[in-house]
Amino acid sequence: MPQRSHSIGATIYSLNGYPLDDLTLGWLVTGSSDWTTGTNIERTSLTTPGYDGSVIMPGRQVAPALGLTIATPYRSLPALVALLTQPELAITQSGKPGSARVLTDTSTPTRVGHGDAENTEFSVTVVLTIPGVWYRGQTETFDVPLDAATKTVPVFPGLSGKVGDALVRLTDVTDPKVRDSAGSWWTYTGVIPAGSYLRFDATSGKAWMTTTDAWTGGTEVDSLSLSFGPRPGFLNITPEFTLTPATRRGKLSVSTASRGDTAAVNVRGRNAYVA
């Protein structure tokens, strides 16, 4: 029989909002399920003839996998299989903010008990991959006035993953540079007038100028006016902590050649958490 070992009434995981612990259906996430995923960093090995050791190369985090085992009576097995095979699946976990898109890799039902036709117990082992690596929170916007040549901009409190798809918007500044605490950065060469907004998309590395307070539309700026720092990614917001790893945030540094009375930066995006 599957090991049933979590607190009574607890909902550990939900898929598309449906709890995998359901007393009515008889589903139960068993104690052999994963509570968290592993971290697998893949790095390219580069050596140079005549030099000892190897060149330090940036790594990338491989999409993690989450293994779940769900006990279910046979009468509720078709419902569970139907849920697991939905074309779009998002998983949430109790005690962990945000949700993550998942893909079903394997799903194996095994009979583990005896009883009448409807109530014979099955154990369904499913492996889910998380292509986006992290749980993602709801969209947040952070607004900070730029009243100094260099300004620290705290974003995404509690960050434990990496945000590479944020929008950064600036107004009433000249020649801004936006830098993450881990070293990635981008710059714009030119004037952003008061009342106009330069919106930078970290996903594409493109930027648009709008003449209204908007997060869409505008005129795309010349790519030659944009410069970027270390790749991959055009701007990766990474966890930063000063006193203890338990207290984390993202931290951007925004510097400008000059700025007006209404100078400001706005950062919009979704927090990222270790799955």
Side-chain angles (χ1 to χ4, degrees), residues 148-202:
T150 301
K151 191 68 180 278
T152 295
V153 181
V155 293
F156 305 122
L159 179 70
S160 57
K162 183 165 61 177
V163 177
D165 55 4
L167 298 175
V168 181
R169 203 177 65 169
L170 296 138
T171 186
D172 200 9
V173 296
T174 301
D175 297 343
K177 179 177 182 178
V178 179
R179 185 181 187 276
D180 174 65
S181 61
S184 69
W185 54 264
W186 66 272
T187 65
Y188 173 73
T189 302
V191 177
I192 308 169
S196 293
Y197 297 83
L198 178 79
R199 184 183 74 256
F200 175 78
D201 184 346

Side-chain angles (χ1 to χ4, degrees), residues 68-94:
L68 302 179
T69 300
I70 305 156
T72 176
Y74 179 71
R75 60 181 166 81
S76 297
L77 179 59
L80 181 58
V81 172
L83 177 59
L84 293 174
T85 55
Q86 289 295 297
E88 292 283 342
L89 279 175
I91 194 169
T92 57
Q93 180 183 349
S94 61

Side-chain angles (χ1 to χ4, degrees), residues 44-212:
T44 301
S45 179
L46 178 63
T47 59
T48 303
Y51 289 87
D52 298 326
S54 59
V55 178
I56 297 175
M57 299 290 289
R60 70 175 189 91
Q61 187 160 330
V62 179
L66 186 71
L68 302 179
T69 300
I70 305 156
T72 176
Y74 179 71
R75 60 181 166 81
S76 297
L77 179 59
L80 181 58
V81 172
L83 177 59
L84 293 174
T85 55
Q86 289 295 297
E88 292 283 342
L89 279 175
I91 194 169
T92 57
Q93 180 183 349
S94 61
K96 185 170 289 184
S99 63
R101 184 187 177 197
V102 293
L103 300 174
T104 304
D105 281 351
T106 61
S107 176
T108 307
T110 304
R111 191 178 73 176
V112 295
H114 299 281
D116 58 67
E118 286 196 344
N119 294 307
T120 295
E121 187 164 85
F122 277 72
S123 174
V124 178
T125 299
V126 59
V127 177
L128 303 171
T129 59
I130 305 176
V133 180
W134 296 283
Y135 282 91
R136 303 301 302 273
Q138 299 297 315
T139 299
E140 303 175 82
T141 303
F142 304 90
D143 305 314
V144 176
L146 297 177
D147 51 8
T150 301
K151 191 68 180 278
T152 295
V153 181
V155 293
F156 305 122
L159 179 70
S160 57
K162 183 165 61 177
V163 177
D165 55 4
L167 298 175
V168 181
R169 203 177 65 169
L170 296 138
T171 186
D172 200 9
V173 296
T174 301
D175 297 343
K177 179 177 182 178
V178 179
R179 185 181 187 276
D180 174 65
S181 61
S184 69
W185 54 264
W186 66 272
T187 65
Y188 173 73
T189 302
V191 177
I192 308 169
S196 293
Y197 297 83
L198 178 79
R199 184 183 74 256
F200 175 78
D201 184 346
T203 302
S204 63
K206 297 180 179 181
W208 293 263
M209 191 77 73
T210 64
T211 55
T212 58

